Every structure is written in C-alpha cells, then in structure tokens.
Amino acid sequence: MGFVQAAMLTALAAVILPVLAHLIFRRRARPVSLGTLRFLKVALRHDTRRRKLKRWALLALRVGCVALLALLFARPYRAAEVGGGGAGLTVVLVDRSASMGRTRDGLRLVEHAVRTVPEVVKGAPARARVEVAWFDAKVAPVGGDDGRSSLDDLKAPDVLAGGTDFAAALAWAGARCEAARGGGPLAVHVITDLQRSGFGGVDALAFPKDVPVKVWDVGPGSTANVAVTEVRPAGLLVRAEQPTTIQATVLNARPEPLAGRAVRLTLRNGGKSFTLPAAASAVPGGWAAVSFETPPLGPGLWQGTVSVEGADGLAADDSRHVAVFAAARPRVLLLDGGARDVAALGEAYFLERALGLAPPGEAAPDAPFRLIVFPYGAEARLPDLREVDVLVAANVGGFPASDAAKVKQFLGRGGGAVVFGGGNVSAQSGASYAAAGLSVGAIAGSHPARDVPFRVAEFDAGHPVLRPFADPQHGDLRRLAFAGCTRVAPADGVKVLARFQDGTPLAAERRAGASRVLWVGASVGREHGEWSRGRLFLPLVHQFVRGAAGLAGAGPVRELPAAGESPGVTAAGPDWEVRNLEPQESELEACTAAEFAARLGVTLAADAGPSADELKAENGLELRAGELWPWVWLVVVVCWLAEGLLANRTVA
C-alpha cells in the first residue's frame, strides 16, 4: 500500500471535530421525582439504551467520513506484484551494469530505471504475468521462492560492477517468452542507458521475431570520460627483491585532447607502500600507454591501484586494481631415502643437481630453490621443519612416529611436499605415510613394465604444474619412458594429473587448505628407467616443487572480471583474486533504439503507450498502478448516505 499524496494524511486530524460535537451536544439527564412510575422507568431505560447505540454509530460514521475523505485526497494505491498470474507475459529487463552508476538530475541512472518499472508494469495487459530481472553480463531474476515480489521491494543495487550484455539479457527473456507461448500476449521491456559497447554475443542470439521489444532510455546520452581500462604487470608472479614493470592503458573518451593527465601507481605490502607518478596524453577517443618501473619488491603480496586524476562521468573506472606476488626462493629439504657412499649412485643425485643447478654440496646463486639435502635412513631423524617451505621425499621407506608428527604439523602450517616413488616405498610404508599426512591413497608397491616401457597416455594440461607441457615445443611428456613405477590407488579427493597406458597414476595431487602434496610414482634414481637423464627431467621436477610451494603457473594471483562483485583484491583460500570492471564499460557512447533493434535483430514495439512524463503533462497528475481511490470514493458515499439516514432518526 502506498499514497500518491502522502501529505494529505495530515487531514486525518480533522476526525476530532465530530468527536467534539458529540461530546458538546450530547443530552444530559436530570433526575426528577414523579412518584411511583415503575413501568415508565423500564420503558425509558430500554429507549435510552437504543438512543445511546445510535449516537455511537452516528459518531463512528461521521469520523469514518472525515477519515475516508483524507484518504481519498491522499490517493492510495496497491503496489504491483512481480510474477502475478493471468493472461500473457511481460518481461522487464533492468540494466544494472557499471555504466548505470552515472548520475542524472542528482540520481544514479539505475535509480531512474527502478522508478520507471511501475510505469512499465502499469502498461502491461490486464491479468498478465510480469517478470522483472536485473541484467549486466548475466541475468538475475527478481522474486522470492514463490516467484512473486512486490515492486516496493525493488531497490537499486549499491554496487554496479558488471559489464553490459544485451544479447544475454534478451536470450533469457526470449526463453521465458517461448515457455509462456500460447497463454496470451508477450512483450519485453528493456530499461537501459543504451550503451553502444553492450552488444556481446549477438551472433548467437535467436530472439523470437513476433515478440515486441520496448526500449526505455534512462541514460544522459554520451558522457565525457577518462578511464584506466587495463593494467598489465610484467608477471603476476615475480622474483622477490627484484624490480618489475607495470603498464597501464588510459582511455580518453572526450571530444578534446588529454594533455599530461596525472596517473599514479600505488602498491602496498603490509606496512610498506610506495607511489609512482606518471602522465598520460591522448587524442580525442584515443588511448595512452603508461609504464611504471617499480623498485625491488620484498617477499609477499603487493596490491594497489593505478588511478587517473580528475572528475568525469563515471568514477568507478578512474582506477583499476593490481596485485603482484613477489616470491622468495622456496626453501627445500630433500630427504634422500636411497643415499649411498658413492654420490653418483645415490637415489637423489640427479634430483639434487636439477634443483640446485650445481654439483652436490654446492649452490648456484641464481638457482630457483634454496636446497638442503638430508640422507634419511633407518637411524636418521628429521631436522627442524620451521625453516622449510617444501619437503621432498625421494624413495623414503617410511617415517618413525616422531618424524611423522613433525611432517603432519609442517603440512598443517601450510607447507608443501613432493613424494617420489622407488623400491623402498612398499605397501608397508602406507601406514607411516598416512600418519605423516603424505598419503594420496593405498600404496601397492613396485609395478614393473613387462614388454614395453610405460609411457604417459594422458595428463591434465590445464593444471598449473603441467600446463607448460601442453605445448609440444616445450617438451612432450608422452616421449618419457619408464621401466616401472610405484603403484598407488588414489583415495577420494585426490586429483590424478598424469596416467600411463594401463591407467596407473604417474602423478597425483592432494590439497588440504594451503598445503599441497604431490605424488610422483617414478623413482628419481635409475630404478624406474633413465628418465632422470632426459631433457624433460629438470623442468618437470622444477614444476613439481613449484607446485608444492604454490608458485606454479602465475602463482597465487588470479585476474578475473568483476562479474557483478565489488572490484578489488580478495583472498580466496591460499590464492588472491583481482577483480576489475570490464574495459568496454568505460566506453559510454550511446546508440539509438533503432540501432539497438537492428544490431540484436528484434522488433520494436509499435505502440507502447504514453510515457510517464507525457501522462503527467496531459493530466496534470502523477499516476500509479493499482490506484484505489474509486473504491475509497464508493465507501465515502455509502458512509455519507448511512449517516444521513441515521441522523434523521437520532437526537444528538
């Protein structure tokens, strides 16, 4: 329930007038002694009771007339409902993309769109079902679990961050109309700013030609705008204590040139931060490239913004978020479970050379890992793991209870581990591996190849660890040959990254929070073939260790579109997500309704009725859907007639 002229409700104070009249002019009885009049007293008592009831009813009718007159002038109306039932279907699509955050007449465009919805609903056919949906790059229907929602509950979103996609919105509306076909007239209304850059997957759109589309333009037309449309770090994962480069693109969507507009890069990491200035110049409608050279970045996540100064039509695109992870060299503890007196015959000899990029016992200054090799036999005990990032176990037969507890605590702190198979890893090793948190399934022991060597039949080319090998130019994993492997039956929740022809897993991964355990069934010695002498051995084991450290691929930083969420840098488990507006939202040039229809292949409504402004100009009134004043007037007339009849038969 709402009121067009809510201020008229103050007239309800006039109900005190009939109450005062009732109190002032009521009859006051005075006792008079007339002797013995027993039966007359009984008659007078009954007559007095009837007259009292009539006076109270008369007072109620007079108060009701005054109150109803006040309501009549206040013009109550019933709020329309979304998802009602009846004949036909009217779909109302309301644009909530980032460009609808611009202002007109002191209000955001999305708020103008919300105010337009009741006018659209009012023009819908009688008893037609009305469905309202928000749209940007995706469609979000409005309504409760029962499909009904009062339009009074339709509120403009606070955050507008999605990109415009008219095709996606009309595809959804077209599907709704097809589902309702045969039940009455169909119509679609689009309330938008007609942004020219909002035509997404137009080629795949198949909207029914017989459904009319009415476009309600709430935009201010083209708006002068200067925006940061793209930020490109040289890499989302960089080496700690090294500088990096961040480039940005600035759009000048104005009719005049952009000359030396100030642009700033701000990055912070905990209590550390710095700001780098630059300037952008561009011709009208052109772009400017800006480059920032950062100082050496300390370890950790550096996040911030690239922003351009100056007020314009759309403040949301004046800055874009950026994040770079500066990774220190992972500290790797290599447990050699097959150590021998002759180093070259040891299990981890080739693995040590690959990870350290130096002869045993030496370290290369530019090696990607800080490596410590620890011979791990029956009498050995693990050192302190608090200074370790990745634990690598090569052909380790098992762990004593005290060491298993240390490893499990290490993984609980977010550490990573890589386990390589070998002859020492047998079915009896399973219990200690499970106690240490390193198990990925039931260990079945050695599995030798019979007639031909094992080769990789399939691998997960989309996984960050193995993604570089998706391009055969970087090395073809299918060319690796193995004389055997340590077989394991993966447990639930374990992801197999690579398999042999017979389905035996070569590599598997288990994640628990921030910790990662990577299982490699092949021995890094010569027990399972000569793969450790091949060209792919070094890059492959580097990828396994980086994966366990969470630094494979682009590292822990992911760049994603805003998709309707607030732009910024947010934590997502062990990773960070960087969300920004879609670049095309900064191009604010508008098209016409005819161009809209031509691009999307839809039929514009020939006659959608007068707009709200035309109705106001014609009638001098602000109309609302579902006004109740005729019914209020009818009740006033009934109460007035009843009051007249009762007043002629009652002495006030």
Side-chain angles (χ1 to χ4, degrees):
M1 175 74 73
F3 298 92
V4 176
Q5 302 291 341
M8 291 300 300
L9 293 176
T10 57
L12 288 172
V15 299
I16 197 173
L17 297 178
V19 175
L20 289 175
H22 177 81
L23 295 176
I24 293 173
F25 296 106
R26 67 177 179 175
R27 169 175 288 187
R28 293 179 176 83
R30 292 181 296 174
V32 178
S33 299
L34 297 177
T36 305
L37 298 174
R38 174 183 175 187
F39 298 105
L40 181 59
K41 287 181 179 181
V42 173
L44 290 175
R45 188 180 302 115
H46 289 290
D47 182 64
T48 302
R49 188 179 299 121
R50 285 196 302 270
R51 284 189 290 108
K52 184 181 294 185
L53 291 174
K54 290 180 180 179
R55 287 199 301 271
W56 281 111
L58 184 62
L59 175 63
L61 288 171
R62 288 171 177 172
V63 170
C65 286
V66 174
L68 288 171
L69 283 173
L71 291 176
L72 180 64
F73 284 100
R75 290 174 59 194
Y77 64 92
R78 182 180 61 255
E81 289 186 333
V82 178
L89 172 66
T90 297
V91 179
V92 183
L93 300 170
V94 186
D95 193 347
R96 64 170 182 184
S97 62
S99 63
M100 294 290 284
R102 293 179 288 169
T103 58
R104 175 169 64 84
D105 301 331
L107 293 175
R108 295 184 301 163
L109 299 185
V110 69
E111 291 163 347
H112 285 286
V114 170
R115 292 188 170 194
T116 305
V117 172
E119 308 301 336
V120 177
V121 173
K122 179 182 179 298
R127 297 175 55 247
R129 187 172 82 254
V130 179
E131 295 187 11
V132 181
W134 297 105
F135 78 92
D136 40 34
K138 54 186 179 182
V139 180
V142 176
D145 295 336
D146 58 353
R148 302 172 68 90
S149 176
S150 172
L151 292 182
D152 288 341
D153 298 330
L154 188 65
K155 305 297 182 184
D158 294 328
V159 177
L160 303 174
T164 308
D165 192 342
F166 296 125
L170 286 174
W172 180 86
R176 301 300 299 161
C177 290
E178 290 292 352
R181 189 173 293 278
L186 306 173
V188 174
H189 296 258
V190 184
I191 308 175
T192 179
D193 59 352
L194 282 175
Q195 190 177 9
R196 189 183 294 275
S197 62
F199 300 97
V202 177
D203 296 338
L205 177 64
F207 190 81
K209 297 290 186 181
D210 59 335
V211 177
V213 177
K214 168 66 177 178
V215 178
W216 301 74
D217 184 7
V218 297
S222 298
T223 303
N225 189 38
V226 177
V228 182
T229 58
E230 188 178 12
V231 178
R232 302 178 302 280
L236 299 177
L237 178 66
V238 300
R239 196 84 169 263
E241 308 303 339
Q242 297 289 330
T244 188
T245 301
I246 296 177
Q247 294 184 334
T249 301
V250 178
L251 169 66
N252 178 31
R254 306 187 311 164
E256 61 271 4
L258 186 70
R261 179 67 66 89
V263 184
R264 297 191 308 273
L265 166 66
T266 301
L267 288 178
R268 63 185 181 276
N269 175 7
K272 303 176 183 178
S273 65
F274 62 85
T275 300
L276 300 178
S281 300
V283 299
W287 285 267
V290 181
S291 182
F292 301 92
E293 187 73 23
T294 72
L297 301 178
L301 179 73
W302 290 84
Q303 59 177 306
T305 58
V306 175
S307 58
V308 60
E309 293 184 351
D312 55 23
L314 184 61
D317 62 4
D318 290 345
S319 66
R320 289 183 75 84
H321 296 270
V322 61
V324 175
F325 190 82
R329 292 191 301 165
R331 299 165 295 184
V332 179
L333 177 62
L334 171 56
L335 303 181
D336 187 353
R340 297 187 184 181
D341 295 336
V342 180
L345 298 178
E347 178 70 24
Y349 174 78
F350 295 107
L351 182 59
E352 180 183 354
R353 295 291 300 272
L355 297 180
L357 298 182
E362 300 181 17
D366 58 347
F369 309 106
R370 289 178 286 175
L371 180 65
I372 298 175
V373 180
F374 187 80
Y376 194 67
E379 303 299 327
R381 292 295 178 266
L382 286 178
D384 190 354
L385 299 181
R386 286 179 292 183
E387 300 299 322
V388 175
D389 298 314
V390 179
L391 180 68
V392 179
N395 197 16
V396 174
F399 299 89
S402 59
D403 284 357
K406 283 185 180 180
V407 174
K408 192 166 187 178
Q409 187 179 18
F410 163 75
L411 295 175
R413 294 195 301 266
V418 182
V419 178
F420 290 96
N424 294 337
V425 185
S426 62
Q428 291 72 27
S429 306
S432 66
Y433 270 82
L438 296 176
S439 175
V440 296
I443 300 174
S446 183
H447 179 48
R450 297 300 182 186
D451 300 325
V452 294
F454 288 135
R455 293 188 184 274
V456 176
E458 59 181 68
F459 66 94
D460 186 356
H463 194 278
V465 170
L466 301 181
R467 188 177 298 141
F469 306 101
D471 186 352
Q473 297 184 51
H474 297 160
D476 188 355
L477 293 184
R478 295 176 177 85
R479 299 187 64 181
L480 291 174
F482 300 87
C485 69
T486 300
R487 175 178 283 178
V488 64
D492 293 339
V494 173
K495 184 174 184 179
V496 176
L497 305 184
R499 294 181 185 273
F500 293 133
Q501 303 98 316
D502 64 351
T504 301
L506 168 64
E509 179 189 42
R510 180 178 60 79
R511 298 186 62 172
S515 71
R516 299 172 173 86
V517 176
L518 287 167
W519 167 274
V520 184
S523 165
V524 291
R526 306 180 67 176
E527 180 181 353
H528 291 153
E530 301 293 333
W531 79 287
S532 56
R533 294 187 174 188
R535 297 175 57 185
L536 284 177
F537 180 73
L538 185 146
L540 190 54
V541 296
H542 276 211
Q543 282 297 104
F544 283 133
V545 176
R546 286 195 184 100
L551 302 178
V557 178
R558 305 283 183 268
E559 289 187 333
L560 302 171
E565 299 185 17
S566 298
V569 181
T570 56
D575 300 329
W576 287 272
E577 296 178 348
V578 184
R579 295 186 181 271
N580 283 298
L581 298 182
E582 298 287 354
Q584 64 267 24
E585 281 301 294
S586 299
E587 302 174 21
L588 302 179
E589 183 181 2
C591 66
T592 64
E595 292 173 323
F596 175 92
R599 288 287 302 275
L600 296 169
V602 301
T603 304
L604 289 180
D607 184 12
S611 66
D613 293 337
E614 293 170 340
L615 290 171
K616 292 178 186 178
E618 179 180 351
N619 303 325
L621 296 173
E622 184 182 4
L623 299 182
R624 291 291 186 274
E627 288 208 30
L628 303 175
W629 66 265
W631 298 100
V632 177
W633 173 247
L634 178 62
V635 176
V636 169
V637 171
V638 171
C639 289
W640 178 56
L641 292 176
E643 189 273 343
L645 292 174
L646 190 59
N648 292 334
R649 292 167 174 76
T650 305
V651 179

